[in-house]
Amino acid sequence: MEMIPLIAIFMGVFYFLMIRPEQKRKKQKAEMMDALQVGDNITTIGGMVGKVVRVRDDLVTFETGEDRVRIQIMKWAIANKGLDKTETAQQDQPSAQ
C-alpha cells in the first residue's frame, strides 16, 4: 500500500518527461506537413535539399540543384521545412575561387 503513491508519482513523471514531448513533436510535424506549399524549401530525412514544386495528398515533388532535377517523395520523408542551419552558414560564406 505504501508503494501506490510512489508508483503514481513515477507514472506522472514518466508521462511528462517521455510521452507528452513526443506527442508535441508528432503534432508539430503533422502541422508542418499539412502547411507545405509550392516554393517552400525542404530537407528530406536523407539529407536532400530542394524547393517544393508540387504538393499532392501524400506526395511532394521538389527540385534540387541548378539543373532542376525533380524528385518525388512521400510527405513523411520530409525532415524539416526551411533551410538547414549548416546550409544557411554555407550560403553566408563567400565562395573561394
Side-chain angles (χ1 to χ4, degrees):
M1 287 299 199
E2 295 173 5
M3 291 187 64
I4 291 176
L6 186 60
I7 292 172
I9 291 172
F10 176 74
M11 290 178 69
V13 169
F14 182 76
Y15 175 77
F16 283 107
L17 292 179
M18 300 292 285
I19 297 172
R20 182 85 171 139
E22 184 62 29
Q23 288 175 340
K24 283 185 177 183
R25 278 191 291 276
K26 284 182 182 179
K27 183 178 178 182
Q28 288 174 341
K29 183 154 179 147
E31 289 173 355
M32 182 265 304
M33 285 190 268
D34 290 339
L36 279 177
Q37 298 176 2
V38 174
D40 288 343
N41 289 316
I42 60 168
T43 304
T44 67
I45 57 175
M48 292 187 289
V49 178
K51 185 180 284 190
V52 175
V53 293
R54 187 177 189 188
V55 179
R56 288 192 286 174
D57 295 330
D58 287 336
L59 291 174
V60 174
T61 305
F62 70 100
E63 288 181 348
T64 182
E66 293 180 14
D67 51 350
R68 300 177 69 170
V69 174
R70 290 189 175 196
I71 300 172
Q72 199 172 46
I73 60 170
M74 301 295 290
K75 277 187 177 180
W76 60 261
I78 297 172
N80 59 32
K81 185 168 116 175
L83 294 175
D84 194 15
K85 292 177 185 175
T86 56
E87 184 179 342
T88 305
Q90 289 174 355
Q91 289 180 352
D92 291 343
Q93 296 175 354
S95 61
Q97 290 183 357

